[in-house]
Amino acid sequence: MLREIWGYFYGMIAHPRATLDDLAQQASIRPAVILVIIGLLLGWLNLLLFAIFGYDWLGTRRELVDPTYIGFFGQLRVGTEHYVPIFSWVISPLLSLLGLAVMPGLAHVLSKLWRGQGTYEQMTNTLAYVQVPSIFFRGILNDMVLGGVPANLLTGHPYAFTAAMNGEFGSVVATLWWVYMMGVYIVGIDLWIVILGTMAIRRVQRIPVWASALIMLFVYGVWFYGVEGLSLIHI
């Protein structure tokens, strides 16, 4: 099964159309659930590496106010000192599992406006795997390498990522870092995901490309910049 999951993971980057068609053939949402678990395990592994080397995962601590997280309509107020365990063990798993229902469900319902022919299981598996670019480039390359222990060890700084953004390695590095953050980490990956999501909806639901794009833009915006964005806001 893990070999099959790796095939889907690699396929979403190398040949997404064929991979989406393969995912649409799955009768259960098991591939999607396994991918969510892998994403969570990678996050926990990163936390473990920070703990082993004695680094502070929340390197932006000095720039945050207290409480750092406010949720549940202001009823849950989490201070900076408790933010990491609450985020890692409660918020992140909850949002990851909730995302399996919200994004595919919303896309599936909206597709019916154009007489979409796909199933919820097909939408869940395909829309889960359009997140592969985010898992690889944000979760692994950025969070675990550029913003993780390897970068800290290489630079000798306890939190190299924040230091680079704040200009502690020079103005040129700071400029390049911000260009990377805005151009690649945010806009580039988001655009990649929206394109893959549009492709997924089109191939599963068999509706026009323009309708698929509208649905994906709306669903992605509602989830990542609405539900999840508000849930992870730093006050």
Side-chain angles (χ1 to χ4, degrees), residues 18-172:
T19 303
L20 289 170
D21 290 341
D22 289 342
L23 282 165
Q25 299 303 314
Q26 293 291 328
S28 76
I29 62 171
R30 186 179 303 170
V33 174
I34 292 177
L35 185 68
V36 167
I37 294 174
I38 290 174
L40 290 171
L41 289 176
L42 287 172
W44 293 335
L45 174 61
N46 196 29
L47 281 174
L48 178 62
L49 290 174
F50 270 79
I52 290 175
F53 286 89
Y55 292 127
D56 182 7
W57 182 83
L58 194 60
T60 54
R61 188 181 301 271
R62 64 184 180 181
E63 301 170 6
L64 300 175
V65 296
D66 207 351
T68 301
Y69 168 79
I70 299 179
F72 294 98
F73 303 99
Q75 300 304 309
L76 177 62
R77 305 172 71 85
V78 180
T80 306
E81 292 302 319
H82 301 99
Y83 177 80
V84 173
I86 292 294
F87 169 77
S88 303
W89 302 107
V90 179
I91 300 174
S92 186
L94 180 61
L95 288 176
S96 296
L97 293 177
L98 188 60
L100 286 177
V102 175
M103 284 190 62
L106 189 55
H108 183 60
V109 170
L110 292 176
S111 295
K112 298 308 176 182
L113 294 174
W114 289 273
R115 299 182 179 181
Q117 303 173 32
T119 66
Y120 170 74
E121 289 80 7
Q122 290 176 317
M123 277 283 80
T124 301
N125 284 326
T126 54
L127 287 186
Y129 278 82
V130 303
Q131 307 300 325
V132 163
S134 180
I135 294 175
F136 180 74
F137 287 100
R138 289 172 176 164
I140 299 176
L141 181 60
N142 187 85
D143 296 353
M144 299 186 71
V145 180
L146 295 177
V149 170
N152 295 348
L153 293 175
L154 183 64
T155 61
H157 195 286
Y159 199 80
F161 196 88
T162 299
M165 293 180 68
N166 289 336
E168 295 183 33
F169 299 136
S171 59
V172 174

